[in-house]
Amino acid sequence: MRTNKTFKKSIISATGKLAAGIAAAFALTGCLPPQMQSMGSAPLPAYHQPKSTPDGEKQITLSADAYGTFAASGFNVEQVNAGGGALSLEFHPAGTISPLFVNASVAGIAGTLQFGCNDLPCSDDGYNVWLASKDGDKDYTFWNLQERIVSGVEFNIGSHLFLGTAGGFQFYQGGGDYESKREFLEKRNLVENMDERFGWRPTASLWVGPRLGENAGSLAIEYGINFAKKVKEWNSTLGISYFHPSGFHGTVYTNTNTSFAVSLGKSFSL
């Protein structure tokens, strides 16, 4: 009986010490610094175009897209004003393996942004003191190149619905004042950078949509993820696209770094 009481007292004492230690740590360090990431680590903005040829036929498609955003917000950034373009080449083989495909894409984007804090909304840490300063209120330039190669499969479900998925790798490189400033802030322990100016990530996407008719084209809803070591650092995108039989297409999308963006493009059969 006395042993049980002693054990309970030990547990209560250890719990109290742990709580006191955590409280002391927060008292000494304040809020954790917000995280920053490269704008290029977001999924590349080239969305999958449903196969237009019948099952069993080979298809090679080249797509060119222009995209942009105005006064958007993202992961600890805001007032993102940027534009760019993307090229995408896709190959579907003939025969019974025609649902399989390989896609290679490259994109470039450039623009300006401001630093923000929507991840950890602290009010008294050093980062927000800097954010309220003249330097923290400035516009910073950035640019990024992105390359992606994926393979996947797409199936027709009946005559009016398609479903597909793909996976592969995305690479990115970047520069500009934004990259220099987030490195500067990390050295002063005001932010924690999740990545560097360049890197790579595994990527995967899933899409589904209806075929609206031979002369009406198709719609697609696509969700994509660029993976990282921590779930919190995954970058995601969601887009709604319309593809016209003439090859013209458009997408409205959102991703981790851009609350709202639009792309317009044209596809060519080779």
Side-chain angles (χ1 to χ4, degrees), residues 34-115:
Q35 293 181 312
M36 291 292 164
Q37 62 182 348
S38 170
M39 296 295 287
S41 62
L44 187 149
Y47 289 82
H48 178 82
Q49 179 168 352
K51 187 184 179 196
S52 58
T53 58
D55 289 342
E57 290 190 13
K58 181 178 70 173
Q59 177 175 301
I60 303 176
T61 305
L62 175 66
S63 297
D65 293 84
Y67 57 91
T69 187
F70 177 74
S73 60
F75 185 77
N76 289 332
V77 294
E78 56 188 26
Q79 295 298 313
V80 182
N81 300 293
L87 288 175
S88 183
L89 181 66
E90 186 162 296
F91 170 70
H92 287 258
T96 57
I97 61 172
S98 64
L100 300 175
F101 68 87
V102 177
N103 179 286
S105 303
V106 60
I109 188 171
T112 63
L113 56 76
Q114 292 182 355
F115 284 81

Side-chain angles (χ1 to χ4, degrees), residues 19-255:
I22 294 174
F26 273 99
L28 291 172
T29 62
C31 296
L32 295 174
Q35 293 181 312
M36 291 292 164
Q37 62 182 348
S38 170
M39 296 295 287
S41 62
L44 187 149
Y47 289 82
H48 178 82
Q49 179 168 352
K51 187 184 179 196
S52 58
T53 58
D55 289 342
E57 290 190 13
K58 181 178 70 173
Q59 177 175 301
I60 303 176
T61 305
L62 175 66
S63 297
D65 293 84
Y67 57 91
T69 187
F70 177 74
S73 60
F75 185 77
N76 289 332
V77 294
E78 56 188 26
Q79 295 298 313
V80 182
N81 300 293
L87 288 175
S88 183
L89 181 66
E90 186 162 296
F91 170 70
H92 287 258
T96 57
I97 61 172
S98 64
L100 300 175
F101 68 87
V102 177
N103 179 286
S105 303
V106 60
I109 188 171
T112 63
L113 56 76
Q114 292 182 355
F115 284 81
C117 188
N118 56 14
D119 176 34
L120 294 171
C122 304
S123 60
D124 59 350
D125 65 312
Y127 173 72
N128 273 292
V129 172
W130 174 82
L131 203 61
S133 69
K134 183 178 180 180
D135 195 38
D137 193 44
K138 289 171 54 177
D139 290 338
Y140 289 89
T141 61
F142 73 94
W143 62 264
N144 288 101
L145 296 176
Q146 299 171 298
E147 305 86 29
R148 183 185 68 193
I149 183 164
V150 297
S151 60
V153 61
E154 181 180 78
F155 296 103
N156 288 319
I157 303 174
S159 58
H160 297 291
L161 190 67
F162 55 86
L163 174 67
T165 186
F169 299 94
Q170 177 173 308
F171 305 85
Y172 59 91
Q173 307 84 37
D177 296 338
Y178 168 69
E179 294 288 356
S180 300
K181 184 58 67 173
R182 72 186 184 102
E183 292 170 354
F184 170 85
L185 294 172
E186 183 176 52
K187 289 179 180 178
R188 282 151 182 77
N189 298 316
L190 296 181
V191 305
E192 176 190 356
N193 284 328
M194 297 160 54
D195 49 33
E196 298 181 2
R197 297 179 180 223
F198 54 88
W200 66 274
R201 290 190 177 193
T203 184
S205 58
L206 174 70
W207 59 90
V208 63
R211 298 187 186 277
L212 305 177
E214 185 176 348
N215 298 318
S218 58
L219 289 172
I221 299 174
E222 181 173 344
Y223 179 72
I225 298 176
N226 282 355
F227 298 98
K229 293 181 180 179
K230 299 178 182 179
V231 174
K232 183 181 178 182
E233 298 178 4
W234 291 5
N235 278 349
S236 62
T237 184
L238 177 65
I240 301 176
S241 305
Y242 170 70
F243 300 93
H244 190 267
S246 64
F248 287 100
H249 53 263
T251 302
V252 176
Y253 66 92
T254 180
N255 62 35

